[in-house]
Amino acid sequence: MAGSRLERFGTVFTRVRDLMRAGVIKPQDKPIWFDVYKAFPPKRDPLYVQKNTRAVVNKKETVPEIFYKEDEVRAKFYERYGTGSQALDLSKSNFVSTCERFVIKYAELESDSELDAAALFEETEKALLKEGVILRRRGQLSVEENRDPVLELKLKDMLAEKHLADAQTKETEPSS
């Protein structure tokens, strides 16, 4: 082809003109606008002016850190409880994680009371426990893992003896 197809090397008019001169485009196949442009050329030829681009200076963009009040509560929650045993279910749009429930309850209690942060954190733990949310501290064994099996057997024996003793006292009491 005659030159490059990029507009920076000649105009569309000059490229079509040159193609017609070379015989690639036949005179009967010339574009409709060609004769009009030839009869009324622009006062200034359209030129491609390359933009002056300077080398990018290693400019550090500082993005300000954005921390919300809830972020501090979340950080303290994850520090104390970790990620928890329940996985996040992202397939449900209305799923609320344990941490998020904690933050919501914390904000609710914070608006109602005038406790300091540590006491408010403890109150939030208690409130969630009342709602049935069990929070396990990080590194802490659960109650089942913490129990000694021998102790459990002794407790069962003691309870069985107590039930037996209660049953005997009921039998010996005179009925009224």
Side-chain angles (χ1 to χ4, degrees):
M1 284 224 159
S4 173
R5 289 180 173 236
L6 296 176
E7 63 274 356
R8 66 180 104 165
F9 298 112
T11 62
V12 174
F13 175 77
T14 57
R15 285 183 279 165
V16 170
R17 183 195 64 203
D18 293 342
L19 288 172
M20 287 175 55
R21 282 182 189 165
V24 176
I25 296 177
K26 296 176 184 161
Q28 64 266 20
D29 293 335
K30 70 181 175 189
I32 298 171
W33 54 263
F34 186 79
D35 291 328
V36 176
Y37 191 92
K38 191 173 182 182
F40 303 103
K43 291 181 181 176
R44 287 180 281 125
D45 275 341
L47 296 175
Y48 176 78
V49 179
Q50 190 171 6
K51 297 175 185 172
N52 292 336
T53 56
R54 291 178 33 187
V56 178
V57 179
N58 289 339
K59 186 172 131 181
K60 293 183 181 178
E61 293 184 27
T62 56
V63 178
E65 292 185 8
I66 301 172
F67 285 111
Y68 296 99
K69 192 183 241 183
E70 297 87 27
D71 293 338
E72 294 172 9
V73 176
R74 281 187 191 95
K76 194 171 179 183
F77 176 86
Y78 282 121
E79 181 182 314
R80 187 175 286 184
Y81 299 111
T83 56
S85 58
Q86 185 181 14
L88 297 177
D89 190 1
L90 299 177
S91 63
K92 297 179 183 175
S93 61
N94 59 353
F95 178 76
V96 180
S97 68
T98 308
C99 178
E100 200 58 36
R101 288 179 73 181
F102 189 90
V103 170
I104 292 167
K105 184 56 84 173
Y106 185 92
E108 184 180 306
L109 292 175
E110 185 179 37
S111 64
D112 294 341
S113 67
E114 297 177 4
L115 298 172
D116 66 324
L120 191 58
F121 202 83
E122 298 297 326
E123 287 299 316
T124 307
E125 290 173 343
K126 291 175 187 174
L128 284 178
L129 189 60
K130 286 179 187 175
E131 291 180 6
V133 178
I134 299 170
L135 301 172
R136 284 184 27 196
R137 291 192 183 234
R138 216 176 188 171
Q140 181 182 15
L141 296 175
S142 66
V143 176
E144 293 82 24
E145 296 168 352
N146 208 5
R147 247 187 225 160
D148 185 17
V150 176
L151 178 63
E152 192 171 323
L153 289 175
K154 288 182 182 178
L155 286 172
K156 286 182 181 177
D157 292 340
M158 288 172 54
L159 286 173
E161 288 175 12
K162 181 162 177 23
H163 285 298
L164 186 60
D166 286 343
Q168 288 176 354
T169 56
K170 281 187 180 180
E171 290 175 7
T172 58
E173 288 181 4
S175 54
S176 39

